[in-house]
Amino acid sequence: MSNEKVTGPARFYYATCYSMKGIRAAFVHEPAFRYEVYGALLLIPLSFWVAQTGIQLGLLIGSCLLVLMAEVFNSAIEAVVDRAGLERHELAGRAKDLGSAGVFFTLLIVMLIWGGVLWDNLAAG
């Protein structure tokens, strides 16, 4: 087996396949990711109705995608920590709590962006 990396369009293809595999794994194995996907499936179509500008649309959709990204990273951290061992350890718990805090912050970002866009749009009449 060669150690050479695939390049060009083949690299893009394989990277996309790995990404889809990761999204599928998150959906199958992570209930929080499923809930956030369901939320995104509600909010993303709604954003086309709420947004009055392209910037607003990008912010509304981007904030939803940011939550999914943070949840995937959090799930990756949890999987690595669990693979290292299931015994309780302060650093393992801290790693999981920090990942969870990252997801929490992205959820706050969603609320701030959606609230700000709704505020601006209602104030504009």
Side-chain angles (χ1 to χ4, degrees):
M1 178 169 199
S2 172
N3 284 338
E4 292 182 35
K5 293 217 177 226
V6 176
T7 60
R11 173 71 182 119
F12 179 76
Y13 170 76
Y14 287 115
T16 301
C17 289
Y18 298 142
S19 296
M20 294 301 107
K21 186 176 177 183
I23 292 168
R24 193 174 309 111
F27 192 82
V28 168
H29 298 289
E30 300 296 333
F33 183 78
R34 283 194 298 275
Y35 302 145
E36 291 154 355
V37 165
Y38 300 146
L41 289 173
L42 173 74
L43 290 177
I44 289 173
L46 186 61
S47 69
F48 286 92
W49 182 72
V50 170
Q52 294 180 357
T53 67
I55 294 295
Q56 287 183 351
L57 183 63
L59 286 169
L60 294 172
I61 293 173
S63 66
C64 294
L65 296 176
L66 188 64
V67 171
L68 298 177
M69 182 179 75
E71 188 61 52
V72 167
F73 290 157
N74 182 43
S75 297
I77 290 167
E78 290 182 354
V80 169
V81 167
D82 289 346
R83 171 63 175 95
L86 296 178
E87 69 280 352
R88 289 199 174 269
H89 190 281
E90 177 189 349
L91 293 176
R94 187 183 313 162
K96 289 183 171 191
D97 291 346
L98 290 168
S100 180
V103 174
F104 178 75
F105 284 129
T106 63
L107 292 168
L108 291 177
I109 289 169
V110 168
M111 289 189 284
L112 287 170
I113 288 174
W114 278 78
V117 168
L118 289 168
W119 176 282
D120 284 351
N121 294 350
L122 291 173

